Amino acid sequence: MIHEMTFQLRTSDFSKGQAWYQSFLQREPDFVPHEGFAEWEVLPGCWLQLAEGTPAEGSGPVRFAVVDIETERERLINELQIEPFEIFQREEVPVKWGTFADPWGNRLGLFEYLDAAEKAEKQQRLAKLKKAPSL
């Protein structure tokens, strides 16, 4: 049974990359085991690893759920100088979403649940996960 996951992104300039991801995630890394490597536990058991190296071409996007995609897009454009990106929405899809790149070409994205009840349920489930004991 899978009980945890990691996803690794690479940056050719680790110190700038770490600063960029600290601003993106709005916090310091949770674990820095050695030079050129940092990890954030984005959700319980879900880790984003940043490593020094050549970014993988054609990977991603790694999408992150947010409460308000328009507000978060503006924050990223203003704080991190990412290129403005379009937010998409389709009637048959329960979220709106957008895709952008970090300065090293790693494809990232945001999404927001459209249904208020579903959004609240997801946030309640996350709050329970954060309180659950570790394995």
Side-chain angles (χ1 to χ4, degrees):
M1 174 177 97
I2 296 171
H3 61 91
E4 208 166 319
M5 67 162 279
T6 64
F7 188 86
Q8 187 178 98
L9 298 173
R10 296 184 198 126
T11 175
S12 56
D13 184 328
F14 187 78
S15 62
K16 285 184 180 177
Q18 182 173 341
W20 194 92
Y21 276 91
Q22 283 176 190
S23 186
F24 175 66
L25 297 168
Q26 298 182 307
R27 62 190 177 92
E28 299 283 322
D30 295 299
F31 184 54
V32 181
H34 55 78
E35 190 174 319
F37 196 87
E39 292 185 294
W40 289 263
E41 189 174 23
V42 179
L43 299 169
C46 179
W47 294 80
L48 181 128
Q49 300 175 328
L50 184 66
E52 188 166 31
T54 304
E57 287 188 40
S59 65
V62 178
R63 293 198 197 276
F64 297 86
V66 295
V67 174
D68 182 330
I69 193 169
E70 285 88 1
T71 299
E72 191 64 14
R73 175 181 59 182
E74 290 309 308
R75 182 185 77 81
L76 297 175
I77 290 168
N78 293 326
E79 260 184 48
L80 297 173
Q81 289 76 48
I82 66 164
E83 291 293 320
F85 61 92
E86 189 173 351
I87 295 173
F88 297 95
Q89 185 174 344
R90 293 176 63 165
E91 187 176 321
E92 66 275 14
V93 179
V95 299
K96 48 186 171 178
W97 71 95
T99 303
F100 58 95
D102 72 10
W104 301 273
N106 294 300
R107 294 181 61 224
L108 305 170
L110 303 175
F111 68 95
E112 175 188 339
Y113 286 99
L114 296 172
D115 181 83
E118 184 175 18
K119 189 184 292 190
E121 184 274 324
K122 300 284 185 185
Q123 291 173 338
Q124 288 174 354
R125 189 176 70 183
L126 176 59
K128 288 178 187 175
L129 281 173
K130 287 182 176 182
K131 293 177 184 175
S134 300
L135 292 176

